[in-house]
Structure formats: C-alpha cells, structure tokens
Amino acid sequence: MLRHPDGSSFRFDPGALCLELLPTGGPGPLAYFEVLRDPADLVRWAEESRLPGGLGPGGVSGPGAGDAPGPGSASGSDSGSASGSDSSSGSGGASGGGSALVVSAAEVVGARALRDALWRLVEARVAGERPAPDDLAVLNDAAAHPPLTPRLTADGTWAWGPGGTGTGLLSTVARDAADLFTGAYAHRIRVCGAHDCRLLFVDTSRPGKRRWCSMERCGNRHKVRAHRARNSAADA
C-alpha cells in the first residue's frame, strides 16, 4: 500500500524491488515524499518490501536510531514503508533482538543517493535516453558490494544469513536494477499514463498492456474524466 503525505493511500505494485525504492522520495520536487530519514526507516522499508521477511524490525544503529519514523510513505507490493511498525534501537552499533539487518546513518545517506540515481536512470530508460555516467557509477558501486545472503536452516526452512547490513541491502537493490535493465522485461519499464503522475513500474503481465500505476488511483480517475467528457459531449 502506497501512502501519500496528504493521508490518501492506494495499492501500487511497481513489479521490481529496485522500483519499490523510488516512492520513498527522490531528487528535486520528489524530496517532498522523503521518508528515509534514519536507520529505522530503511529497516522498515526492507521489511515491508517484496524481499522475504525476517530483516526487521530492529537492528538499527547510528544517530537517529529508534527515533519516530517520518511521515507516511511509499513502497511496492501490498504494504507501504510508512508507519505502523516499531523498530528496536541498537546501541553502539549493535543489532537488537537478533535482527538480520543492521543499518547505519551513513548507509541511509547511501540509500537516498542510490534511490535518486535510480530515478534518473529509470526515467532516462523510459525516455530512450543514455544514462548519466555519474548515476551509472552510483548504481555499479552499490552493486559491487556483497548482497544480502539467504541460508538454509537445520529444519529445512529459508532464512536470511546473519550480518546483513544496509550496504548489503543496497547491493541487493542495485543488482536487481541491473537485472531489470538487462532482462526480458526491460522494454516494459513505463511511467504511469496519467499526465500528473511520475510513478514508474515494470509491466510483467501476460498481455503487457498495463498503463496505470494503479487502477484504483490513476486508472479510476481517467475513467471518471472520460465518462464526464462523454456526458458533456452528449449534452452539447
């Protein structure tokens, strides 16, 4: 569920992990939507993303750990990175409660830098433009670090490996972006068809005809406008 700062919310699935990071804020006017302010916010985003569970809450370190999260926000899948969950604070860089993910304040800065670069890279891709070298460098530098790793437990279940960091999380996101840009659905990365919406998604549906960020929001608004226009034309 994506939550707007004005209090409204709607379902939005961008179709890829890397695209889920974008609605948490962005460069220029997109800074209005910023929610990645402290380590707890990034842990919360990871836990509520399409990544398998078990990354949080808890296990945050550095200045601001344990502070109240920022205003309502955005994510993909069916749960937003907004509000609701409590995160235990770490102390002296230590993880709390056996969490699989520890994030520092510096890694939150890195998350915002990667997200802003991703905004520009994805919008350039949609527009058919060459990516900016500086943005490619941010993406590739993030991807060069070891990603988060899974492990098989003794009882045969899946779990995150210990020692996960914000840097590992960002590597996982950056590698997902590289896979998306070079994969089978690269040509289906799109911007919402509404003139006043910048949300980006990848259409993985069989028909490949997705047009809106969400039928619940922009798709429905388009239908309402079209209906009113037809009624006005009939009355003329």
Side-chain angles (χ1 to χ4, degrees):
M1 188 68 71
L2 193 154
R3 296 178 178 87
H4 192 279
D6 66 9
S8 63
S9 61
F10 58 94
R11 294 187 182 278
F12 171 55
D13 182 4
L17 176 66
C18 60
L19 301 182
E20 283 189 283
L21 186 61
L22 302 188
T24 63
L30 294 170
Y32 170 71
F33 301 98
E34 183 62 67
V35 295
L36 298 182
R37 294 181 172 83
D38 58 44
D41 296 330
L42 187 55
V43 172
R44 185 177 302 107
W45 175 83
E47 186 191 22
E48 297 178 347
S49 73
R50 67 202 320 114
L51 287 169
L55 290 173
V60 297
S61 65
D67 291 347
S73 84
S75 171
S77 295
D78 288 336
S79 58
S81 55
S83 71
S85 306
D86 293 331
S87 293
S88 327
S89 63
S91 60
S95 173
S99 170
L101 183 64
V102 178
V103 174
S104 71
E107 288 169 325
V108 177
V109 174
R112 293 195 296 262
L114 175 60
R115 179 202 60 208
D116 292 1
L118 279 171
W119 264 111
R120 292 185 290 265
L121 287 169
V122 178
E123 289 188 322
R125 178 76 184 222
V126 170
E129 300 171 352
R130 292 183 62 82
D134 288 349
D135 292 330
L136 279 178
V138 171
L139 176 69
N140 290 329
D141 287 350
H145 294 279
L148 299 176
T149 56
R151 62 174 177 169
L152 182 65
T153 65
D155 61 2
T157 59
W158 189 101
W160 287 109
T165 65
T167 299
L169 172 64
L170 299 184
S171 176
T172 301
V173 173
R175 291 172 185 226
D176 180 75
D179 288 342
L180 176 62
F181 291 156
T182 59
Y185 292 104
H187 65 292
R188 288 193 182 180
I189 303 172
R190 298 171 186 156
V191 64
C192 178
H195 73 279
D196 57 349
C197 181
R198 290 178 64 179
L199 288 174
L200 294 149
F201 60 86
V202 55
D203 182 3
T204 58
S205 68
R206 185 181 295 273
K209 296 181 179 180
R210 180 177 173 183
R211 182 179 177 187
W212 313 107
C213 62
S214 169
M215 280 302 300
E216 182 181 340
R217 182 175 184 260
C218 290
N220 185 60
R221 290 177 179 177
H222 174 75
K223 286 184 176 181
V224 170
R225 285 193 294 266
H227 177 71
R228 289 174 178 171
R230 286 194 298 269
N231 287 343
S232 297
D235 294 339

